Every structure is written in C-alpha cells, then in structure tokens.
Amino acid sequence: MSSILTTARRAAIVFGLLGSTVLTGTGAHAGDIIGKVIGADGKPLSGVSVTLDDAMRAETTDSQGHFRFDRVPEGSVTINLNAMFRATQHLTVDVPLAGEVEIAAQMKPNTLLARAAALNTEPAVEHAAQKQTYLAGIKKTAQAGKAPNIVIMFFDDLGYGDLSAYGNRLISTPNIDAMATRGAKLTQSYSSSPVCTPSRAALMTGRLPVRSHAQHHVFFPTGHPVATMRRSLGWANALPRDEITMAEALGKAGYTTGAFGKWHLGDVVGSRPTDLGFNTYYGVLYSNDMAPLALYRGTNAETPPDQVVQGKLNERFADEAIKFISASKDKPFFAYVPFTAPHWPHHANPDRAGKSAGGEYGDVIEDLDAQVGRIVATLDKEGLSENTIIIITSDNGGDYDGAVSDLRGRKGETWEGGQRVPQFVAWPGVARPGSVIDGMTMNIDMFPTLLAAAGVALPTDRVIDGKDIRPLLSGQAQSPHDALFYLTTWSGNVSAVRNKDFKYREVIEDNSPLGVVRGGAGHPTPPALYDLALDNESHNTIARHPMIAEQLKKALDTMRDQLSINPRGWTAEAKKSAK
C-alpha cells in the first residue's frame, strides 16, 4: 500500500480466516486501528488481550469482541492476539496516514497445549504396597462409647476476621462462636497453603502439599482446559493413590466415615472420596466456580449442573451430615463436612438473603453459622457431644470479599492473611472450655492428632509433617512446632518460615502459567523479618534482629533442601522395603 493516501482511496487486505478493510481519511500522520475478534464458533470473544508491543499499547476485547487503538503512527504494525486456550495470532497491518484500518480476526483452538499434555501422565504411584501393608496392620480399636467421634467442619476461603468471635462487627456467628465456650479458640492456626487443593491434601494426609504432588495451585475437572494445561506442565490433577488419608486409617480402626461437601482432590478413579476411605459421600468434586458442577452421591452424579441451586448447597451438605450422624450414633464415626462457602461466587441461601448487616457476603457466612448450629444441635440431641471432637476451621485465608482482621495479604499469598485461619476445637476432656490457644498449629496436625486419639499408630514409611497437638490443646505445653513453613500458590516453593515470634520471608517468583503473578519480584525487597507479636508484616526488622533472621533462613534453606532431595518424603524404611 502506498504511504500517501487520499480520502477517495480504498484498499483491502486479508488476515487469517477473515478480512481487514482499510478506510482512509484526512488528518495527521496517524491512524486508528479498530477490530473485532470471534472464536471458532463465530461468536464474539471477550477478554482477548490485544497488544501493540513496540508501541507499548494494550487493550482487551469487550463483550462484543471489539477493541480499538487511537492515533497509531502510520506504517506497518504488528498486532498480537492472546486468549486463554486459543492459538496466539500475530497480524501485520499497514496503518494509514490518516483514517482507520478495520480488522476482523478469528481465533483458532490451541492444539499445542493438548499435544504437550499428551506427552505426560499423572505422576507414578510409588508406594502403593507400603500403604496397603500399613492399612492392613491397623487394628479395629474403635469401640462405641470409647473412641471419640470426629466432626470436621471445613470452610472454603473463610478469612481470619470473618467471624464475630474474631472481631467482625457486621457478621453475626453465634453458633460458631459458641465453640469457643465449649472448647478452645486458636489464634495462631494455619492452613498449609494459601489456596484450596494443597490445603485439603495436607489436611487429609498430615503432609505438606509437595509430598502429594498437590503444591501447584488447584485441581480442575478432567477435560477442562486448565486440567490440560496442568498435564502439559507435568503437574498432577488428582491426589496420588499411594497417599494415606485419615479417612482410610480411621476406617480401618473401625470408624464409619462420611464426607459431605466439596472434595477438590480429583475426579478420576482412585482419587475420589469413596476411593480414599469414605464409606459415604455427598457433594461436589470442585469449587463452586468450576463447571460442570454436579452433585454426587458416591460416584454417581445425582443432581446435574443445571439443577444445582448454589444458595442451598451448604444446607444440603448439613442435611446429609445430620442424617449420617443420626444413623451412625451407635458406633464411632468420622464426619467430614467441607462446605463450599464462602468461596466466590457468593450465593446466599434464599431463606436468609438480605438479612445480614454484612451484605450478601454476610448472608453467606450467617447461613454457614446456621448450618453449623444444626449439626451441633444434632450431636446434642443424640447425646453424642460429650464423646465427639468438633473441629471448625478454613482451608486458607480470606478472599477479597472477606475479612482478614488486621493481617496483611489475602488468599493466594504467603502473607499472614493468606494462611492464618480461624479455628475452634471442642474436645471434651482435652481442650479446656473457654480457653484461648496462642501456640502455632497447622492443618497438617489434624492427621497425627486424630489418629492418636483413635489409638492408631502413624505410618513409618513416610514423613508425617504434622504434630500431635493434644498437649497444646490441654494447656500443658507450647506448640510442638519449632517452625511452620509457607508455600507459594503456583510454584509450591517454600517462601517463608516462622517461629514463635518472628517470620522470615523471601519474595520469590511464583508466576502462574495463566499469566497471573503472585508474590513475584516487588516490594518489599527480600529478605525481610517480621515481628508477628507486635506487627502485621509492615516493618522489616532484619537489621535489628540479624541472628534471628539467620536462624530462620537456615531453617528455610534446610527445608528447601529436604524437599528437593526427597519431595515425597519417603523414609529409609520405605526405601528398604521397596527393594
């Protein structure tokens, strides 16, 4: 095309599957680029990243697939089109001296991702034999009336400041708060990851998420493009079958086991709740923002996605848990109730919508409080409370709609707001009623603590990172942990460590393959030492306490080395028996 154009001239050029028409007009030595992007189905594509790299310009297509760049210098310009799970396009257009150049582009499916995924499979099952030997050796020690029943109520993204017992002044949670009277309120309790799947894997196994290939963000439904992306990177998308869950161990000890709510540890054979120790399951396999979201009973999809009423989900989970408790009251039982809320998107129960001073989010939390009240009332009614351990906590820190009190950071971050969570433990004879426990704990502690309560020895073929916290709950000791470690969201790297009073944090890259960056290079400049007893991670005190920083850095480096050398945590005994 000539570099000199008149208002009367028209020209046409072709891009990809569709065309581009150049419209000219009068003006300075710059033109406008306008365009529309559609998908393979011919429908407009919103959210497509459109960039002019050399001009340092970027736009995103709107709901109709449109974008526009005004006053682009005339001449040849390369336009890049990027959309998740679609093949990237690079188009070259001649911008007129004045006027507009109009582009229509169609994006094709990304076949490279699928081909990369085909090169990988799920990580190998390494120690199935050792697992079966351990489970076969567990004796049925649980007897009715003697072995304590266990109820774990696990919230999704509940922040440290979301409950009135932890200082929320808009949201009322009397039923949950009552657990502080029945038992202990913990102030230094942590999830083992700032996101869902890794934390749930750690809860079930007593091991840091890297041990079970669960450290990389969260699992997705089989067939979902993100599941394909995970496979292309060699990441797992299901809990390995050689991991031992607390449900499997408790079941072998004589417990009846049931799970009611969100699983999020895989949907393939071998990784579903009924494959990993639960006699009964009712719930959804993933977060409530994932599709398809069907309600499962056992391994069968009982309610299809288009019939699931999200506002009623947590009530349904409580219904099923109550039925299970009543039916199992004559023998020891383990009820795991992982609610889907308050994870985004928020859906208030129609029965409670508009009632909370905390808005829709408050409606969701107060509905959760009501469901907790119903479950606890059932335990009381059935005469089970005096022999039941009740644990209430969250899988990670609060998301952006929730509250994290005065902590720094949110879900997805290794600041305190991303991993410190509310927790109550009502345990007659162990946790002192009305006590406040300041010693640090992590959800990896539930596995060894609850197995010890049931009289079950821990497996010796693998590292169990959790500790038995019964002495701490009874007020007889400090935390059994000298240190707790914080794992990044995407890389699963250990980026921080804390002891009783201080936290040492190094900012390391945690780049998402989806383009999201969490905790990458930026303020504050690493390394940093925070006095958790006096500060909310605002002030770096490393110059004042260099020896403490050095001690914590050494602990951080040691853990990194151990995970690098032996990520699955197999012990010498396991290696010997495998020969």
Side-chain angles (χ1 to χ4, degrees), residues 58-195:
E59 295 290 341
T60 301
T61 57
D62 63 19
S63 61
Q64 297 303 310
H66 295 129
F67 67 89
R68 182 183 184 100
F69 293 99
D70 293 328
R71 295 186 57 76
V72 179
E74 63 91 14
S76 182
V77 174
T78 298
I79 300 175
N80 305 301
L81 302 176
N82 290 280
M84 196 178 299
F85 312 122
R86 291 176 173 82
T88 299
Q89 288 201 44
H90 305 284
L91 312 178
T92 301
V93 59
D94 287 328
V95 178
L97 195 69
E100 298 175 335
V101 59
E102 183 175 346
I103 297 173
Q106 188 173 43
M107 301 200 74
K108 301 176 181 179
N110 181 351
T111 60
L112 181 61
L113 188 66
R115 287 186 283 128
L119 300 176
N120 299 301
T121 59
E122 285 291 322
V125 175
E126 302 173 27
H127 286 277
Q130 289 89 339
K131 170 180 176 175
Q132 294 307 319
T133 298
Y134 166 73
L135 293 176
I138 296 177
K139 297 180 180 179
K140 289 193 174 182
T141 56
Q143 299 180 17
K146 295 183 179 180
N149 304 310
I150 300 167
V151 177
I152 298 177
M153 287 179 267
F154 205 50
F155 298 119
D156 196 356
D157 293 0
L158 185 77
Y160 190 80
D162 275 336
L163 305 175
S164 46
Y166 283 81
N168 198 295
R169 293 180 291 180
L170 291 174
I171 301 173
S172 177
T173 53
N175 295 299
I176 299 174
D177 298 345
M179 292 298 104
T181 302
R182 290 184 179 235
K185 171 187 170 184
L186 282 66
T187 65
Q188 305 285 322
S189 176
Y190 290 82
S191 62
S192 51
S193 168
V195 287

Side-chain angles (χ1 to χ4, degrees), residues 482-496:
D482 294 325
L484 290 180
F485 297 91
Y486 302 69
L487 272 65
T488 55
T489 295
W490 289 98
S491 65
N493 290 324
V494 182
S495 69

Side-chain angles (χ1 to χ4, degrees), residues 156 196 200 219-222 224 261-267 281-297 300-314 316-317 338-341 343-347:
D156 196 356
C196 174
R200 290 162 195 265
F219 297 161
F220 270 73
T222 298
H224 190 283
K262 171 184 167 180
W263 178 238
H264 216 166
L265 292 176
D267 63 358
Y281 175 65
Y282 180 84
V284 296
L285 295 177
Y286 297 95
S287 298
N288 68 317
D289 64 338
M290 295 183 178
L293 191 71
L295 267 169
Y296 281 78
R297 189 174 295 278
N300 298 316
E302 183 177 88
T303 306
D306 61 349
Q307 295 180 25
V308 171
V309 180
Q310 288 221 26
K312 285 287 189 179
L313 277 180
N314 297 292
R316 293 292 304 277
F317 301 150
F339 294 106
T340 53
H343 192 285
W344 183 91
H346 309 307
H347 295 272

Side-chain angles (χ1 to χ4, degrees), residues 36-58:
K36 180 176 182 178
V37 183
I38 62 174
D41 58 2
K43 297 180 180 180
L45 275 182
S46 63
V48 178
S49 173
V50 186
T51 60
L52 308 180
D53 289 347
D54 290 343
M56 299 182 69
R57 302 271 295 274

